[in-house]
Amino acid sequence: MNTKQPLYGERAISEAELICFENPNLVRPYEISIELPEFTCKCPFSGYPDFAVLRLIYEPGLKILELKSIKFYINSYREKKISHEEVANRILDDLVEACEPNWMKLEVDFNPRGNVHTVIRVSHGK
């Protein structure tokens, strides 16, 4: 068997780049809501995996985030050791930079670990 290493999914994730396309309707404001239920990263202190549901809602400006690129971008955090607070803020910053929305809100709802449940909410614009 001649399976390339790393596997195609791992290659796509390592090359992840947020891609946008032109907003097809600039006449009316509207919201886009995206849920990513399988987010993972690692705790920077213990190295244990953290699991979360990401809920993104935004009003697009001139550009729309392409869904497949979001999937690869989000999956690139799987092996990163990063705090809950930093990951929420970094993701929001990257998404805002990529698509320049009128406003954007991100909720990162981490699975409870050690009897502690954390939800981080960050926003950009009004």
Side-chain angles (χ1 to χ4, degrees):
M1 179 181 238
N2 284 337
T3 303
K4 289 184 180 178
Q5 294 294 331
L7 302 174
Y8 77 92
E10 293 170 333
R11 288 193 309 271
I13 290 167
S14 71
E15 298 165 1
E17 179 182 330
L18 288 167
I19 298 169
C20 297
F21 59 92
E22 201 173 297
N23 183 346
N25 189 336
L26 297 173
V27 176
R28 92 173 44 86
Y30 61 98
E31 297 176 359
I32 297 173
S33 178
I34 302 167
E35 183 168 287
L36 300 144
E38 299 176 339
F39 177 80
T40 60
C41 62
K42 290 186 177 180
C43 173
F45 305 105
S46 68
Y48 291 157
D50 283 321
F51 302 91
V53 176
L54 275 59
R55 294 179 188 92
L56 176 69
I57 186 165
Y58 71 102
E59 181 183 303
L62 298 175
K63 298 184 274 186
I64 307 286
L65 289 163
E66 193 271 329
L67 295 177
K68 188 174 181 182
S69 75
I70 293 174
K71 175 181 75 170
F72 289 142
Y73 167 78
I74 292 300
N75 285 336
S76 74
Y77 280 90
R78 186 176 66 182
E79 297 299 325
K80 290 182 182 175
K81 292 181 178 176
I82 188 168
S83 72
H84 296 173
E85 298 78 9
E86 184 179 356
V87 78
N89 280 285
R90 186 179 299 175
I91 289 170
L92 182 70
D93 288 346
D94 289 348
L95 296 175
V96 166
E97 183 179 338
C99 74
E100 302 171 1
N102 293 331
W103 57 263
M104 181 176 278
K105 295 179 182 179
L106 175 65
E107 177 181 272
V108 185
D109 185 350
F110 285 91
N111 289 4
R113 182 157 43 93
N115 200 31
V116 176
H117 179 205
T118 306
V119 179
I120 309 293
R121 293 180 187 92
V122 291
S123 61
H124 165 81
K126 296 185 189 256

